[in-house]
């Protein structure tokens, strides 16, 4: 849990979380750690709230995530793409796997100089078991997911699906400079430049 911030109002001083203060006053959200059901629905609610407050002013999303569950990641993706207020993404450490897809989906996408992205094929989240028909069904579903993710990345990078398929055939890491060259990011900003654009 992060340290509390102090909120001064006509009712005196009260403590609120730093995340709440940044969200309400600066329209800044965070995607950190593994993407799962809890983090995805929390992000979804925050985007709804900020859109209800102002559907035009941009929302800044800072991501530092190793990735996570694809289905829950797609809920976050849909919120980013569907937000009326443009969402600007900032990679502040790493955005791996599903995290890289979410980062690439931003209206504007910037990376700190030493941050990294990583892409790879969808992975099975649990051990395979069952009969031959069940295993084939799992395999077919995984291939469909791979194709869908490749289409999303091709759309956001301007690359072909064939190029994306090659990039995701193994764990492919990108420095900030490489991410810009690949069309995964729009630019590199240092901490002070990010702060200037968020206040």
């Amino acid at each position: 849990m992060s340290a509390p911030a102090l909120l001064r109002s006509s009712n005196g001083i009260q403590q609120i979380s730093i995340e709440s203060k940044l969200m309400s006053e600066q329209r800044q959200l965070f995607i950190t750690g593994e993407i799962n059901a809890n983090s995805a629905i929390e992000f979804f609610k925050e985007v709804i709230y900020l859109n209800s407050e102002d559907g035009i002013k941009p929302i800044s999303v800072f991501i530092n995530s190793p990735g996570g569950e694809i289905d829950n990641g797609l809920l976050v993706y849909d919120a980013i793409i569907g937000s009326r207020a443009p969402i600007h993404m900032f990679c502040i450490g790493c955005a791996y796997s599903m995290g890289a897809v979410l980062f690439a989906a931003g209206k504007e996408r910037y990376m700190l100089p030493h941050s990294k992205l990583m892409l790879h094929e969808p992975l099975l989240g649990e051990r395979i078991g069952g009969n031959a028909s069940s295993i084939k069904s799992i395999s077919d579903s995984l291939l469909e997911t791979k194709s869908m993710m490749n289409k999303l990345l091709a759309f956001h990078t301007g690359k072909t699906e064939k190029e994306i398929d090659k990039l995701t055939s193994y764990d492919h890491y990108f420095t900030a400079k490489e991410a810009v060259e690949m069309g995964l990011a729009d630019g590199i900003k240092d901490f002070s430049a990010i702060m200037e654009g968020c206040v």
Side-chain angles (χ1 to χ4, degrees), residues 57-70:
K57 190 175 180 182
I59 299 168
S60 297
V61 176
F62 299 90
I63 185 167
N64 184 20
S65 171
E69 302 167 4
I70 292 176

Side-chain angles (χ1 to χ4, degrees), residues 4-199:
L6 298 178
L7 179 65
R8 291 176 174 83
S9 68
S10 58
N11 296 324
I13 299 175
Q14 66 184 76
Q15 289 187 343
I16 62 170
S17 71
I18 290 176
E19 289 82 359
S20 295
K21 184 175 175 65
L22 291 173
M23 180 178 74
S24 61
E25 295 183 9
Q26 304 295 335
R27 295 175 67 81
Q28 296 173 356
L29 303 179
F30 294 81
I31 299 174
T32 58
E34 184 179 352
I35 298 162
N36 54 37
N38 290 334
S39 62
I41 197 66
E42 192 64 27
F43 181 83
F44 193 83
K45 289 188 291 186
E46 291 169 344
V47 173
I48 288 175
Y49 170 76
L50 290 178
N51 272 273
S52 70
E53 290 288 299
D54 188 332
I56 297 175
K57 190 175 180 182
I59 299 168
S60 297
V61 176
F62 299 90
I63 185 167
N64 184 20
S65 171
E69 302 167 4
I70 292 176
D71 289 344
N72 288 305
L74 289 172
L75 172 60
V76 176
Y77 176 89
D78 287 341
I80 292 171
I81 295 300
S83 173
R84 285 179 294 133
I87 291 186
H88 298 172
M89 300 293 296
F90 298 89
C91 181
I92 57 170
C94 69
Y96 293 166
S97 189
M98 191 69 215
V101 177
L102 298 180
F103 172 77
K107 185 74 173 177
E108 294 182 13
R109 309 157 305 171
Y110 300 102
M111 300 179 67
L112 284 174
H114 298 102
S115 57
K116 287 186 178 181
L117 302 182
M118 186 271 282
L119 297 173
H120 61 186
E121 291 182 348
L123 303 174
L124 284 173
E126 54 192 44
R127 294 174 60 186
I128 297 178
N131 58 31
S133 295
S134 296
I135 293 173
K136 183 180 184 304
S137 177
I138 293 170
S139 177
D140 290 344
S141 177
L142 200 60
L143 289 172
E144 288 175 8
T145 300
K146 174 185 174 182
S147 177
M148 176 185 63
M149 300 304 282
N150 285 349
K151 282 183 171 66
L152 295 180
L153 284 167
F155 175 78
H156 292 295
T157 62
K159 302 297 181 182
T160 65
E161 289 181 44
K162 187 174 181 179
E163 288 174 312
I164 296 297
D165 189 61
K166 183 177 180 181
L167 285 176
T168 58
S169 62
Y170 60 96
D171 289 1
H172 198 130
Y173 291 84
F174 300 86
T175 64
K177 182 174 181 292
E178 290 168 340
V180 173
E181 292 170 350
M182 190 53 58
L184 289 163
D186 297 314
I188 302 169
K189 289 189 175 184
D190 62 23
F191 183 79
S192 60
I194 289 177
M195 290 302 95
E196 286 173 9
C198 292
V199 296

